[in-house]
Amino acid sequence: MFGSTVRGTAVAAVVLAGFAVSCDTDPVASASAPTGSASVAASASASASARPGPSGSVPAAPAASGGPDALPGAAPEKVRDAFAGLQATLNDACTPAECAHFLGRVHDELHGLDAAMKADPKGPGHFPEPIALIAKLDAELAGDRSFENLKKHQTLLISTRDKINTWMQGHPDDYR
């Protein structure tokens, strides 16, 4: 009797361990993911870059190529997906506790939409107003994505988002 209990416990442990491992990984991602300490370092680096620095400023984001969470070299998002991300900021506001995150997110969503529009099969000429509005914003920001600079240009940042939202609402075939 003792032998069958130990054997049953061992089988259950192996099954549970296999289940835990299979639920924890994505077979496609794990095939292309770095292994060992490189993977841990990449994860730590990615999460560290998203946190505000000691002065409360958010580090500069990499150039938008497909939205705020896109990997370098990844294909840009579709315009409808990028626009949905921008629209998700419409009900948010610059509260004292979340202002840096909010302004940085609006900035990132605008640049994800810009990249999606420029990569769209219809061509960037199909989206002249939004692309021009983002270019005007970028000229004012002068490459400085710090919280202090985004806060200084908060009115322009939010009005750019709102103008692009209005323009896109007038072009529903581009995001539905």
Side-chain angles (χ1 to χ4, degrees):
M1 178 148 163
F2 178 73
S4 65
T5 304
V6 171
R7 190 175 318 138
T9 303
V11 169
V14 169
V15 169
L16 289 173
F19 179 75
V21 170
S22 69
C23 289
D24 193 15
T25 62
D26 178 11
V28 174
S30 63
S32 63
T35 58
S37 62
S39 176
V40 172
S43 295
S45 167
S47 60
S49 68
R51 283 184 240 135
S55 67
S57 65
V58 178
S65 63
D69 297 326
L71 296 173
E77 290 180 282
K78 293 181 186 270
V79 171
R80 94 171 164 246
D81 297 336
F83 181 53
L86 183 66
Q87 282 187 305
T89 68
L90 291 174
N91 293 325
D92 293 339
C94 192
T95 62
E98 293 292 321
C99 196
H101 171 74
F102 169 70
L103 295 177
R105 181 170 175 215
V106 171
H107 178 272
D108 291 348
E109 295 293 349
L110 284 168
H111 286 85
L113 182 60
D114 185 55
M117 289 176 169
K118 289 176 178 175
D120 190 82
K122 295 175 186 173
H126 187 73
F127 305 97
E129 290 90 349
I131 291 173
L133 287 167
I134 294 169
K136 179 182 174 190
L137 172 67
D138 285 346
E140 287 292 321
L141 294 175
D144 183 358
R145 188 202 177 280
S146 69
F147 169 65
E148 292 77 18
N149 198 43
L150 292 178
K151 183 69 176 161
K152 176 181 169 185
H153 294 94
Q154 179 177 350
T155 302
L156 177 61
L157 182 68
I158 301 306
S159 69
T160 300
R161 177 201 64 185
D162 294 344
K163 288 175 185 174
I164 290 174
N165 181 56
T166 300
W167 189 90
M168 290 295 289
Q169 294 293 337
H171 298 81
D173 57 311
D174 292 324
Y175 66 90
R176 290 199 176 148

PDB file of all heavy atoms in Angstrom, residues 5 7 37-38 46 88 96 129 131 145-146 159 175:
ATOM      1  N   THR A   5       1.003   4.656  -2.860  1.00  0.00           N
ATOM      2  CA  THR A   5       0.778   6.041  -2.437  1.00  0.00           C
ATOM      3  C   THR A   5       1.939   6.924  -2.878  1.00  0.00           C
ATOM      4  O   THR A   5       1.740   8.026  -3.384  1.00  0.00           O
ATOM      5  CB  THR A   5       0.612   6.123  -0.906  1.00  0.00           C
ATOM      6  OG1 THR A   5      -0.443   5.255  -0.514  1.00  0.00           O
ATOM      7  CG2 THR A   5       0.312   7.537  -0.466  1.00  0.00           C
ATOM      8  N   ARG A   7       4.032   6.271  -5.343  1.00  0.00           N
ATOM      9  CA  ARG A   7       3.999   6.315  -6.795  1.00  0.00           C
ATOM     10  C   ARG A   7       2.920   7.305  -7.254  1.00  0.00           C
ATOM     11  O   ARG A   7       3.145   8.116  -8.149  1.00  0.00           O
ATOM     12  CB  ARG A   7       3.719   4.923  -7.369  1.00  0.00           C
ATOM     13  CG  ARG A   7       3.910   4.879  -8.856  1.00  0.00           C
ATOM     14  CD  ARG A   7       3.765   3.482  -9.447  1.00  0.00           C
ATOM     15  NE  ARG A   7       4.405   2.478  -8.624  1.00  0.00           N
ATOM     16  CZ  ARG A   7       3.874   1.283  -8.346  1.00  0.00           C
ATOM     17  NH1 ARG A   7       2.723   0.927  -8.853  1.00  0.00           N
ATOM     18  NH2 ARG A   7       4.502   0.425  -7.572  1.00  0.00           N
ATOM     19  N   SER A  37      20.503  33.792 -18.412  1.00  0.00           N
ATOM     20  CA  SER A  37      20.578  35.119 -17.809  1.00  0.00           C
ATOM     21  C   SER A  37      20.278  36.220 -18.817  1.00  0.00           C
ATOM     22  O   SER A  37      19.881  37.307 -18.434  1.00  0.00           O
ATOM     23  CB  SER A  37      21.951  35.319 -17.185  1.00  0.00           C
ATOM     24  OG  SER A  37      22.944  35.245 -18.183  1.00  0.00           O
ATOM     25  N   ALA A  38      20.462  35.973 -20.105  1.00  0.00           N
ATOM     26  CA  ALA A  38      20.136  36.988 -21.108  1.00  0.00           C
ATOM     27  C   ALA A  38      18.661  37.302 -21.072  1.00  0.00           C
ATOM     28  O   ALA A  38      18.252  38.447 -21.213  1.00  0.00           O
ATOM     29  CB  ALA A  38      20.547  36.510 -22.501  1.00  0.00           C
ATOM     30  N   ALA A  46      13.749  45.781 -19.651  1.00  0.00           N
ATOM     31  CA  ALA A  46      12.480  46.270 -20.193  1.00  0.00           C
ATOM     32  C   ALA A  46      11.611  46.859 -19.097  1.00  0.00           C
ATOM     33  O   ALA A  46      11.009  47.910 -19.264  1.00  0.00           O
ATOM     34  CB  ALA A  46      11.735  45.138 -20.904  1.00  0.00           C
ATOM     35  N   ALA A  88      -8.259  55.159 -25.919  1.00  0.00           N
ATOM     36  CA  ALA A  88      -8.295  54.668 -24.538  1.00  0.00           C
ATOM     37  C   ALA A  88      -7.792  55.719 -23.556  1.00  0.00           C
ATOM     38  O   ALA A  88      -8.038  55.608 -22.358  1.00  0.00           O
ATOM     39  CB  ALA A  88      -7.488  53.385 -24.405  1.00  0.00           C
ATOM     40  N   PRO A  96      -2.582  64.192  -9.997  1.00  0.00           N
ATOM     41  CA  PRO A  96      -1.253  64.327  -9.383  1.00  0.00           C
ATOM     42  C   PRO A  96      -0.486  63.005  -9.287  1.00  0.00           C
ATOM     43  O   PRO A  96       0.708  62.972  -9.530  1.00  0.00           O
ATOM     44  CB  PRO A  96      -1.557  64.894  -7.986  1.00  0.00           C
ATOM     45  CG  PRO A  96      -2.837  65.645  -8.173  1.00  0.00           C
ATOM     46  CD  PRO A  96      -3.619  64.854  -9.191  1.00  0.00           C
ATOM     47  N   GLU A 129      -3.497  65.332 -42.150  1.00  0.00           N
ATOM     48  CA  GLU A 129      -3.729  66.175 -40.975  1.00  0.00           C
ATOM     49  C   GLU A 129      -3.155  65.568 -39.699  1.00  0.00           C
ATOM     50  O   GLU A 129      -2.421  66.249 -38.975  1.00  0.00           O
ATOM     51  CB  GLU A 129      -5.225  66.489 -40.797  1.00  0.00           C
ATOM     52  CG  GLU A 129      -5.771  67.434 -41.854  1.00  0.00           C
ATOM     53  CD  GLU A 129      -6.312  66.701 -43.090  1.00  0.00           C
ATOM     54  OE1 GLU A 129      -6.085  65.479 -43.229  1.00  0.00           O
ATOM     55  OE2 GLU A 129      -6.958  67.365 -43.910  1.00  0.00           O
ATOM     56  N   ILE A 131      -0.777  63.369 -39.293  1.00  0.00           N
ATOM     57  CA  ILE A 131       0.688  63.320 -39.368  1.00  0.00           C
ATOM     58  C   ILE A 131       1.270  64.717 -39.186  1.00  0.00           C
ATOM     59  O   ILE A 131       2.269  64.899 -38.477  1.00  0.00           O
ATOM     60  CB  ILE A 131       1.142  62.652 -40.688  1.00  0.00           C
ATOM     61  CG1 ILE A 131       0.785  61.155 -40.640  1.00  0.00           C
ATOM     62  CG2 ILE A 131       2.631  62.857 -40.923  1.00  0.00           C
ATOM     63  CD1 ILE A 131       1.013  60.401 -41.937  1.00  0.00           C
ATOM     64  N   ARG A 145      11.256  64.180 -24.132  1.00  0.00           N
ATOM     65  CA  ARG A 145      10.066  63.453 -23.690  1.00  0.00           C
ATOM     66  C   ARG A 145       9.978  63.397 -22.173  1.00  0.00           C
ATOM     67  O   ARG A 145       9.183  62.667 -21.610  1.00  0.00           O
ATOM     68  CB  ARG A 145      10.114  62.036 -24.290  1.00  0.00           C
ATOM     69  CG  ARG A 145       8.842  61.253 -24.072  1.00  0.00           C
ATOM     70  CD  ARG A 145       9.135  59.762 -24.184  1.00  0.00           C
ATOM     71  NE  ARG A 145       7.979  58.951 -23.931  1.00  0.00           N
ATOM     72  CZ  ARG A 145       7.520  58.642 -22.723  1.00  0.00           C
ATOM     73  NH1 ARG A 145       8.106  59.090 -21.650  1.00  0.00           N
ATOM     74  NH2 ARG A 145       6.459  57.877 -22.593  1.00  0.00           N
ATOM     75  N   SER A 146      10.761  64.212 -21.504  1.00  0.00           N
ATOM     76  CA  SER A 146      10.744  64.213 -20.035  1.00  0.00           C
ATOM     77  C   SER A 146       9.382  64.674 -19.540  1.00  0.00           C
ATOM     78  O   SER A 146       8.654  65.399 -20.232  1.00  0.00           O
ATOM     79  CB  SER A 146      11.831  65.136 -19.481  1.00  0.00           C
ATOM     80  OG  SER A 146      11.513  66.493 -19.764  1.00  0.00           O
ATOM     81  N   SER A 159      -4.471  68.677 -26.907  1.00  0.00           N
ATOM     82  CA  SER A 159      -5.237  69.191 -28.049  1.00  0.00           C
ATOM     83  C   SER A 159      -4.873  68.440 -29.329  1.00  0.00           C
ATOM     84  O   SER A 159      -5.739  68.216 -30.183  1.00  0.00           O
ATOM     85  CB  SER A 159      -5.043  70.701 -28.223  1.00  0.00           C
ATOM     86  OG  SER A 159      -3.733  71.004 -28.639  1.00  0.00           O
ATOM     87  N   TYR A 175     -10.519  53.148 -39.459  1.00  0.00           N
ATOM     88  CA  TYR A 175     -10.290  52.497 -38.170  1.00  0.00           C
ATOM     89  C   TYR A 175     -11.329  51.443 -37.830  1.00  0.00           C
ATOM     90  O   TYR A 175     -11.329  50.920 -36.720  1.00  0.00           O
ATOM     91  CB  TYR A 175     -10.169  53.508 -37.027  1.00  0.00           C
ATOM     92  CG  TYR A 175     -11.415  54.284 -36.705  1.00  0.00           C
ATOM     93  CD1 TYR A 175     -12.331  53.801 -35.776  1.00  0.00           C
ATOM     94  CD2 TYR A 175     -11.703  55.478 -37.325  1.00  0.00           C
ATOM     95  CE1 TYR A 175     -13.469  54.505 -35.470  1.00  0.00           C
ATOM     96  CE2 TYR A 175     -12.835  56.203 -37.024  1.00  0.00           C
ATOM     97  CZ  TYR A 175     -13.728  55.707 -36.099  1.00  0.00           C
ATOM     98  OH  TYR A 175     -14.848  56.398 -35.795  1.00  0.00           O
TER      99      TYR A 175
END
